[in-house]
Amino acid sequence: MCGKWFCSGSGGNGHALEHHKQMGYPLAVKLGTITPDGADVYSFDEEEAVLDPHLAKHLSHFGIDMLQMQGNENGVLDNDVKPRINEWEVIQETGLKLKPVFGSGFTGIKNQGNSSYLSTVMQVIFSIPEFQRAYVGNLTRIFDFAPLDPTQDFNTQMAKLGHALLSGQFSKPPVKCELIEQVMKEEYKQQAKGITTRMFKALVSKSHPEFSSNRQQDAQEFYLHLINLVERNSIGLENPSDVFRYLVEDRTQCCQSRKVRYTQRVSYLMQLPVAMEAATNKDELISYELKRREAETAKRPAPELVRAKIPFRACLQAFTEPDNVDDFWSSALQAKSAAIKTSRFASFPEYLVVQIKKFTFGLDWVPKKLDVSVDMPDILDINHLRASGLQPGEEELPDIAPPIVIPDDPKDRFRNHYMEPPDIDESSVMQLAEMGFPLEACRKAVYYTGNLGAEVAFNWIIAHMEEPDFAEPLSIPGCAAASSISSYGQNVQLNQPPEEIVALISSMGFQRNQAIQALRATNNNLERALDWIFSHPESEEDCANPSESVDADNNQNSIITQNEEEGPRIKDGSGTYELFGFISHAGTSTMSGHYVCHIKKEGRWVIYNDHKVTSSERPPKELGYIYFYHRI
């Protein structure tokens, strides 16, 4: 009977599993794989491939003589002669003898229904020493200071999950004497392994429309969502997400005036486009596509899959290519113009996260996945991508805001001078600002989404965060508040925190200079600023001389920004990295499929496939989706 149905749409209708539940027969043999040397045998109870020592005897019951059988074209004869092609099999290393591993750091996570995106990200996160120290190392302190309802405390749930994964208490090998006793009594059943993350998932996905559902999600989106939560709930000054943070320098050049503008933004992820045009096996791809169409027309079985082989250097080259900037307003020409933008690393993070942008949209706007193989390197050197700033001979674009457009209608012109400031939901703005986004970007997001709430505005931010004017002040044509907005923009350039947040902190009994200093140190994040004040009692004394404290604060991280202002904490260093983990996705889109991660521990690769943790025989580095590199 047919096999189980996969979320990708492949497979059968699960009739073999139904037959197993009705009849209780434990094993299934794939007919096309039977040879004199053996066959692929699947165990329903163990949910994985097994070896049957009495296979010849069992097959003879059905009149099948193993010695006379030959594997067909869909069967796998030998892994060395005919490697597996199917993405699901390669990523999960199906058919290989994978030895289970136990102990600290080798605890699996049970799948709670399309939750593999969460499991794989958390396995990699807690393999990083900084996260281990921040949560598991501070376990006692976090538990001691936990609120009355610890189920709603992010730090408590992170510490709990980290301890479960790293303690080894939930990853112990079976005891021999117990196994023998169970086998003698014929009561042996495979014990459930791994831990559950229901409470953790309920908290981190709270009020999120996608992560709170039971649908499969994009692991990359969850990674960024988790970083936001870590930022908002960082313990004092110890913020483990600092290891991922780096600065990107965007160089925008007006094509007519040839003048340039340099801006910097914070990022946690390097996204590499897939350079399909650089495939090294184009002839094979063309031949496969012709055969596939012929088979589809003739209703014959599809030919063996041919996967596009993309050189990594081609993806890196595509990342460095300039992009066109749509609807660019040139301050040099005082008009709209064509422009190009290039991005470089203003700093290199301690841990570099690289995403291969496999997911795209087809001509019918239906999400699809590019089934490609990229030869990702074990050692990655991107020092040549370091930003160099304004070069000799380059001229900067004037720092002039676009003009206010006044309608031709005299009535509209008269009314324009007295137009009321826009109605912006400040609660939504503050909710977004607490996530770490620039305040002006949050105001624009809420305004342009019609005050429909923080959730809709968040989607606007994600879609526009790479635009050059993302963090520039909101400019509304004809608004009476334009002058105040412009002056506020100058305050932002001078690193002056928003007055409303300063007043809020001052109303709690703190000094004004102390509030300003805390907001500057935490990128105007209210919650983190309060934590900063409590963890810096000496700042109250420093505020007695406000000019000295402000100057010292501004010069503390002068390497970060051009104007010698306090900015996000960056752990800059060399741009040479070594691969230590990667997350792979099997399926046709982020809305379906399954995630598996491979992590290099104690000098060997280990595969984490939900609750199953085993040593890896052939880590499929070329089929990964998100790669994690550590600085050498």
Side-chain angles (χ1 to χ4, degrees):
M1 293 186 175
C2 62
K4 62 182 178 180
W5 177 81
F6 293 112
C7 296
S8 63
S10 61
N13 296 308
H15 291 145
L17 183 59
E18 290 180 10
H19 182 263
H20 162 70
K21 291 178 179 178
Q22 292 173 2
M23 308 301 295
Y25 299 135
L27 303 178
V29 182
K30 189 175 180 182
L31 290 177
T33 66
I34 302 174
T35 67
D37 299 321
D40 284 357
V41 183
Y42 181 81
S43 169
F44 289 102
D45 293 329
E46 295 164 286
E47 296 186 359
E48 60 184 353
V50 296
L51 295 176
D52 180 3
H54 306 292
L55 182 61
K57 177 183 176 182
H58 293 159
L59 290 177
S60 64
H61 172 78
F62 299 96
I64 299 175
D65 185 357
M66 283 180 58
L67 299 178
Q68 303 299 323
M69 298 297 293
Q70 295 285 337
N72 63 20
E73 62 177 0
N74 293 323
V76 180
L77 300 179
D78 188 341
N79 284 325
D80 295 325
V81 178
K82 186 182 179 68
R84 295 179 183 270
I85 298 296
N86 182 277
E87 185 183 47
W88 290 77
E89 296 178 339
V90 175
I91 287 176
Q92 298 184 85
E93 302 190 44
T94 304
L96 299 177
K97 297 179 181 179
L98 305 180
K99 182 180 179 181
V101 289
F102 303 95
S104 173
F106 300 111
T107 304
I109 300 177
K110 295 178 184 176
N111 195 321
Q112 302 160 52
N114 289 328
S115 64
S116 57
Y117 69 92
L118 180 147
S119 304
T120 51
V121 171
M122 298 315 300
Q123 291 284 11
V124 177
I125 287 294
F126 276 111
S127 68
I128 296 174
E130 284 75 6
F131 280 86
Q132 296 174 2
R133 277 197 306 270
Y135 294 105
V136 184
N138 290 318
L139 182 77
T140 304
R141 184 167 69 88
I142 293 174
F143 284 1
D144 287 344
F145 290 93
L148 292 177
D149 185 6
T151 64
Q152 301 303 310
D153 183 58
F154 177 77
N155 292 331
T156 302
Q157 294 304 317
M158 282 288 284
K160 172 187 168 187
L161 176 59
H163 176 264
L165 292 175
L166 299 175
S167 66
Q169 294 181 13
F170 307 95
S171 178
K172 297 179 179 179
V175 182
K176 278 188 178 180
C177 60
E178 294 179 358
L179 285 176
I180 295 172
E181 185 178 352
Q182 290 174 347
V183 171
M184 293 295 291
K185 294 181 179 179
E186 298 183 354
E187 294 177 352
Y188 175 68
K189 293 182 180 178
Q190 185 183 23
Q191 300 297 318
K193 306 176 203 173
I195 61 173
T196 57
T197 57
R198 290 190 186 93
M199 196 177 294
F200 177 79
K201 184 177 186 296
L203 176 63
V204 298
S205 62
K206 185 179 178 182
S207 72
H208 193 286
E210 289 300 326
F211 298 137
S212 59
S213 71
N214 288 325
R215 297 185 294 271
Q216 188 64 278
Q217 303 298 330
D218 190 344
Q220 173 256 337
E221 291 182 3
F222 179 75
Y223 159 74
L224 293 178
H225 176 68
L226 181 72
I227 293 300
N228 268 329
L229 292 175
V230 173
E231 291 275 359
R232 292 168 57 185
N233 297 276
S234 58
I235 309 167
L237 285 181
E238 190 172 7
N239 184 355
S241 64
D242 289 347
V243 299
F244 294 125
R245 190 186 303 112
Y246 64 95
L247 288 175
V248 177
E249 181 185 89
D250 291 325
R251 177 186 182 274
T252 308
Q253 182 175 31
C254 173
C255 294
Q256 288 182 264
S257 66
R258 312 302 295 176
K259 295 182 179 180
V260 297
R261 174 181 295 139
Y262 285 88
T263 56
Q264 289 188 351
R265 55 183 169 88
V266 174
S267 184
Y268 298 87
L269 181 73
M270 179 185 186
Q271 296 180 304
L272 289 183
V274 177
M276 290 297 294
E277 67 281 357
T280 58
N281 57 340
K282 290 181 180 178
D283 294 339
E284 295 178 32
L285 289 172
I286 294 173
S287 175
Y288 164 74
E289 187 61 24
L290 291 174
K291 292 179 180 178
R292 188 190 66 80
R293 291 181 181 178
E294 291 175 1
E296 190 175 332
T297 303
K299 296 183 178 180
R300 296 196 307 267
E304 185 178 278
L305 175 68
V306 175
R307 185 173 287 116
K309 297 179 181 179
I310 312 296
F312 171 76
R313 62 178 181 276
C315 298
L316 198 61
Q317 179 64 31
F319 171 81
T320 61
E321 293 295 327
D323 293 326
N324 294 323
V325 180
D326 298 327
D327 203 27
F328 177 76
W329 188 84
S330 172
S331 57
L333 303 174
Q334 295 285 301
K336 289 188 177 181
S337 167
I340 56 174
K341 184 181 76 172
T342 54
S343 299
R344 294 292 186 272
F345 286 83
S347 67
F348 291 120
E350 192 165 341
Y351 287 84
L352 179 67
V353 184
V354 181
Q355 176 201 13
I356 303 297
K357 298 174 69 174
K358 291 185 175 184
F359 297 102
T360 181
F361 290 94
L363 297 175
D364 52 359
W365 290 102
V366 174
K368 69 173 186 177
K369 177 182 173 183
L370 301 175
D371 192 1
V372 297
S373 169
V374 181
D375 59 335
M376 295 297 291
D378 287 322
I379 304 297
L380 174 62
D381 187 353
I382 55 172
N383 282 295
H384 63 286
L385 296 181
R386 183 178 283 277
S388 52
L390 189 68
Q391 295 297 298
E394 289 184 335
E395 187 176 351
E396 285 192 279
L397 284 164
D399 191 10
I400 303 173
I404 297 175
V405 179
I406 300 177
D408 294 333
D409 188 349
K411 295 180 181 178
D412 287 343
R413 184 186 300 118
F414 177 78
R415 185 176 60 192
N416 200 277
H417 290 288
Y418 300 96
M419 188 179 294
E420 293 295 325
D423 183 20
I424 298 177
D425 182 8
E426 291 298 333
S427 63
S428 298
V429 173
M430 294 307 298
Q431 190 174 344
L432 293 169
E434 288 177 0
M435 297 181 185
F437 298 114
L439 186 65
E440 278 303 319
C442 300
R443 290 175 61 83
K444 287 200 291 187
V446 174
Y447 173 76
Y448 286 125
T449 54
N451 291 320
L452 294 179
E455 184 181 312
V456 180
F458 176 80
N459 294 331
W460 186 94
I461 287 178
I462 296 300
H464 295 80
M465 65 191 309
E466 294 189 4
E467 296 179 0
D469 60 347
F470 172 68
E472 292 183 6
L474 174 64
S475 178
I476 303 167
C479 179
S483 60
S484 64
I485 293 173
S486 177
S487 63
Y488 179 75
Q490 294 175 0
N491 287 339
V492 171
Q493 293 175 359
L494 295 173
N495 201 24
Q496 183 70 19
E499 188 60 36
E500 56 266 32
I501 306 183
V502 175
L504 182 61
I505 297 179
S506 300
S507 67
M508 299 178 186
F510 301 107
Q511 296 184 20
R512 176 181 173 81
N513 291 330
Q514 194 179 12
I516 293 175
Q517 189 176 356
L519 288 169
R520 283 176 171 169
T522 57
N523 200 20
N524 296 335
N525 186 302
L526 175 61
E527 188 174 347
R528 290 177 55 203
L530 292 173
D531 289 339
W532 190 93
I533 291 175
F534 286 119
S535 60
H536 286 73
E538 71 279 0
S539 65
E540 189 172 356
E541 300 175 3
D542 296 339
C543 288
N545 192 341
S547 59
E548 290 183 8
S549 64
V550 170
D551 290 342
D553 186 52
N554 286 343
N555 290 326
Q556 183 180 358
N557 275 332
S558 58
I559 191 173
I560 291 177
T561 55
Q562 294 178 347
N563 296 328
E564 296 190 352
E565 301 169 357
E566 173 71 16
R569 290 189 298 180
I570 302 298
K571 296 188 175 183
D572 197 6
S574 168
T576 307
Y577 296 90
E578 181 178 6
L579 181 69
F580 77 92
F582 60 94
I583 296 174
S584 309
H585 175 269
T588 55
S589 78
T590 55
M591 297 180 292
S592 62
H594 181 63
Y595 287 97
V596 171
C597 74
H598 289 72
I599 305 175
K600 195 172 186 179
K601 291 187 176 182
E602 301 173 1
R604 58 175 175 173
W605 283 98
V606 179
I607 176 174
Y608 293 79
N609 187 359
D610 290 335
H611 65 277
K612 293 178 285 187
V613 181
T614 58
S615 59
S616 173
E617 296 295 326
R618 296 178 186 171
K621 301 175 188 176
E622 70 283 356
L623 296 183
Y625 173 47
I626 304 175
Y627 295 85
F628 294 82
Y629 285 87
H630 179 251
R631 179 157 55 213
I632 299 178

